[in-house]
Amino acid sequence: DQNFYNNKLGGGQNLIKEQYSIGRFNNGENAGNSTGSVAEYKGLKTVRHEGGGDGFGHVMMRFPERDFTVIRLCNAGDINTVPAPQVAEIFLADQFKKTPDPINEIVAATPVISIPEKELASLAGLYFEPTTGWLIRFYMKDGKLMVDKGPGYVLSPISQNRFRVAVAGVEIVFVRPVGGGRMQVKTTGEYGQHNTRTYDPVQRVTPTSKELVEFTGKYVSDELPGAIYTLSIKDGKLILQVRNGIAGLLSQVPGSGGQITKDILLTPAFADAFFTFGESTLVRFERNRQNAVSGITLSNGGVRRLRSNKQ
């Protein structure tokens, strides 16, 4: 943390400044973050980065103007711990500005309304963001609409189609396209980003044991030499084993050096698509002109459509 204030690793403070620069996509669109998510919290500049997976979760939130940093470590990936901003409020309470944060403060001040359970249930389902390959699922529990992220969070309605997930600083809006069509989901604030993502509804598909057979086999990646993904059926379910895959894309046994495989359960999502919520990875199968399975692509928050060919 101290190296951000006095860089000793080469490049001087110009390197630190470059790390804080907001990136842009090839089309010129603002990417929304740099090597960390640069934003403001209650009037103070923040630089934040977080991550997690099976068995761990972490967040590092820096307030560079105040030489103050909150680091939160957790030895589980599905526990709703105290948010880093709340920790900062204990130490920086007298330094925060009165100006409300447009995402967290204004949304939090909006009163929660009541929506009949039947109407909430109509919004439940699986939604897919084609650019990133992300999936988001909404379900009902104890009369409340929930989002299947982490331990599962309650969606608090602030209008008939607008909800907030207060603990995550996320706003979710259900909209029906102009001219009719199926309901879409628009989110703002995911992973600390202020840009809006649009998710399309997808129909859940559960293949039979016989239909799962065509997905089995060995898949080898030309884009990642040495990576082998093996699909098999175990107890009537599709299982993925990884050898020399990307660390973090699909988990491997610790200390294996990529040489020891582990069974990863694939849950049916929609046609020719499966997901693993533990690793948040989407596995999509591709077909050739004869409609036979010819390959797979793997996508998550850091990798998009990494392809492997069926052998």
Side-chain angles (χ1 to χ4, degrees):
D1 177 61
Q2 291 302 309
N3 194 72
F4 285 102
Y5 301 105
N6 183 20
N7 180 26
K8 297 180 180 180
L9 300 181
Q13 290 307 111
N14 287 334
L15 175 62
I16 304 301
K17 183 178 180 180
E18 183 177 346
Q19 287 183 307
Y20 288 166
S21 299
I22 303 299
R24 291 189 177 277
F25 295 115
N26 291 339
N27 62 3
E29 181 183 348
N30 191 324
N33 60 16
S34 55
T35 51
S37 180
V38 179
E40 278 195 4
Y41 183 76
K42 294 190 175 181
L44 295 183
K45 179 181 178 180
T46 62
V47 182
R48 174 176 177 145
H49 193 278
E50 57 189 288
D54 287 346
F56 77 98
H58 82 276
V59 61
M60 181 177 182
M61 186 175 188
R62 302 181 59 248
F63 293 82
E65 298 169 330
R66 296 296 181 269
D67 294 347
F68 182 83
T69 301
V70 176
I71 299 176
R72 188 193 70 196
L73 305 175
C74 185
N75 60 352
D78 58 354
I79 292 180
N80 181 21
T81 57
V82 177
Q86 291 186 15
V87 177
E89 288 178 3
I90 298 175
F91 296 91
L92 301 178
D94 60 339
Q95 300 184 51
F96 287 132
K97 299 178 181 179
K98 299 294 183 179
T99 305
D101 179 84
I103 287 186
N104 296 317
E105 297 266 323
I106 294 178
V107 172
T110 306
V112 174
I113 67 172
S114 177
I115 297 179
E117 185 175 340
K118 185 177 180 180
E119 293 184 24
L120 290 175
S122 69
L123 303 176
L126 187 67
Y127 297 80
F128 174 62
E129 207 282 302
T131 301
T132 60
W134 292 355
L135 286 165
I136 187 169
R137 185 174 74 92
F138 302 98
Y139 62 98
M140 294 296 294
K141 181 179 179 181
D142 299 329
K144 298 179 179 179
L145 186 62
M146 310 283 293
V147 58
D148 199 353
K149 295 289 185 181
Y153 297 117
V154 176
L155 271 66
S156 301
I158 52 181
S159 75
Q160 289 300 120
N161 70 327
R162 228 171 116 227
F163 299 78
R164 71 166 180 258
V165 183
V167 70
V170 176
E171 182 174 317
I172 296 172
V173 181
F174 292 84
V175 295
R176 198 173 295 280
V178 177
R182 301 177 66 189
M183 189 77 74
Q184 291 181 317
V185 170
K186 295 183 180 293
T187 67
T188 304
E190 283 191 276
Y191 303 99
Q193 299 181 9
H194 292 208
N195 56 315
T196 299
R197 299 188 183 279
T198 301
Y199 292 76
D200 297 314
V202 289
Q203 184 65 43
R204 291 294 295 266
V205 173
T206 303
T208 64
S209 297
K210 183 178 180 180
E211 291 172 333
L212 288 177
V213 173
E214 66 175 331
F215 299 125
T216 61
K218 182 182 293 185
Y219 297 78
V220 177
S221 174
D222 292 334
E223 300 176 4
L224 187 64
I228 300 175
Y229 304 93
T230 303
L231 279 297
S232 61
I233 297 177
K234 184 175 181 180
D235 298 328
K237 298 179 180 179
L238 192 61
I239 299 296
L240 171 64
Q241 292 184 320
V242 184
R243 187 180 180 89
N244 296 325
I246 294 179
L249 177 60
L250 291 166
S251 297
Q252 299 173 2
V253 176
S256 68
Q259 300 305 311
I260 301 177
T261 57
K262 108 174 184 181
D263 290 348
I264 300 174
L265 174 64
L266 295 186
T267 301
F270 50 95
D272 289 343
F274 297 74
F275 60 84
T276 66
F277 269 140
E279 285 78 20
S280 298
T281 298
L282 178 70
V283 181
R284 299 191 72 177
F285 290 86
E286 297 184 338
R287 296 178 179 272
N288 57 25
R289 293 182 178 179
Q290 289 72 42
N291 202 37
V293 174
S294 59
I296 60 173
T297 61
L298 307 176
S299 302
N300 70 359
V303 176
R304 297 182 184 177
R305 296 179 290 278
L306 178 66
R307 194 178 193 284
S308 296
N309 300 310
K310 190 173 185 179
Q311 301 300 292

